[in-house]
Amino acid sequence: MPQMPTLSELVGLVLLDGITGPRDPVQQIAAAERIAGEFTVLGESLVGFFVELARAEGCSWGEIGASRGLSRQGAQQRYAPLIAQLTVEDLVRTGGLRGFGDDALGCLRRAQARAGRLGHDAVDSGDLLVAVLDDPGGLAGAVIRALGADPAEVRAGLEGDADATTDRARPAVGQDVRRAIDGALAEAHGAGVTVAHLFLGLLRTPGSRAGQVLVAHGVNRPAALAHLLGLAGRPAGESS
């Protein structure tokens, strides 16, 4: 196991943090708290990674909780916030995105890159919807147009924060996006997850930022699903 930094080494990091100016003991406290917080977040992400790994391998919340003396609900309450600190690449490594095709993974990565450019702590549903609309296949845009809306206007409803300039290297996958991911898996019915499934997953959460924008433009899951199934040559009754 790699050796953890010693107290002396951490003290050195705090001293280096303010080396360009006169020593300020109060500012050093703030620097120490920031560095300590980074270790806390890293440790929580480590636990969240292995909880997600267990979930991806089929362990239930009840099984995870039993080993820690927690109920199913208690385990979910304790560990779900830690899972929420994971990035797209973390989810790939745990197997949480197993079954996602290259186009769907690319869409999630574009959403994460957008969130990072805008300085978001987490990828939200708006970031994901913009990435879905930018998909080279253009299927979501075609569905939106078929339902009488303009994809450009839908996108415009998500661009209010596009002038932000703070870059964040590792935005986590936000809860609304996790719900969209779960929804996409459900929509795929065991088949490979595509961008179209992510679009339907977003439509399963009409209260999210993306869901509200889509609903405001008259785009809902039943209508979108019917159109997609029509494109695939299947009657709408074959899927729920």
Side-chain angles (χ1 to χ4, degrees):
M1 178 180 294
Q3 184 175 357
M4 295 293 290
T6 66
L7 177 59
S8 295
E9 289 169 335
L10 294 176
V11 168
L13 289 177
V14 173
L15 296 176
L16 284 172
D17 187 77
I19 199 170
T20 58
R23 178 177 174 275
D24 184 334
V26 175
Q27 288 301 315
Q28 287 179 333
I29 294 172
E33 289 180 332
R34 176 179 55 78
I35 292 171
E38 290 173 359
F39 277 94
T40 299
V41 171
L42 184 61
E44 290 176 344
S45 297
L46 175 66
V47 175
F49 180 94
F50 283 97
V51 172
E52 181 66 31
L53 180 65
R55 295 278 295 158
E57 293 181 359
C59 297
S60 68
W61 283 116
E63 291 171 323
I64 292 170
S67 68
R68 311 300 299 164
L70 299 169
S71 65
R72 177 193 62 79
Q73 184 178 8
Q76 193 167 6
Q77 289 175 342
R78 177 171 176 176
Y79 293 120
L82 307 188
I83 290 176
Q85 297 180 26
L86 301 180
T87 67
V88 171
E89 298 309 322
D90 292 333
L91 295 180
V92 171
R93 291 177 61 202
T94 63
L97 298 179
R98 188 182 298 115
F100 276 63
D102 290 341
D103 59 343
L105 288 175
C107 189
L108 289 169
R109 289 178 175 126
R110 289 195 303 275
Q112 181 172 264
R114 180 181 190 270
R117 288 194 304 270
L118 298 177
H120 296 173
D121 291 336
V123 187
D124 77 358
S125 61
D127 298 315
L128 181 56
L129 180 54
V130 169
V132 166
L133 292 172
D134 286 346
D135 178 59
L139 190 58
V143 171
I144 290 171
R145 281 189 291 271
L147 298 179
D150 183 348
E153 292 182 0
V154 171
R155 182 177 181 131
L158 299 162
E159 295 291 359
D161 54 2
D163 57 350
T165 57
T166 302
D167 184 55
R168 187 174 180 87
R170 282 177 50 89
V173 177
Q175 288 299 310
D176 282 345
V177 175
R178 291 303 298 266
R179 293 188 188 98
I181 288 171
D182 291 343
L185 286 165
E187 296 286 356
H189 298 285
V193 177
T194 67
V195 176
H197 294 128
L198 282 172
F199 180 51
L200 291 173
L202 285 168
L203 287 168
R204 283 183 171 229
T205 56
S208 68
R209 189 160 74 103
Q212 290 175 5
V213 170
L214 289 166
V215 169
H217 286 83
V219 182
N220 57 58
R221 179 181 174 273
L225 179 60
H227 187 74
L228 285 167
L229 291 177
L231 290 175
R234 296 166 54 197
E238 288 188 14
S239 182
S240 58

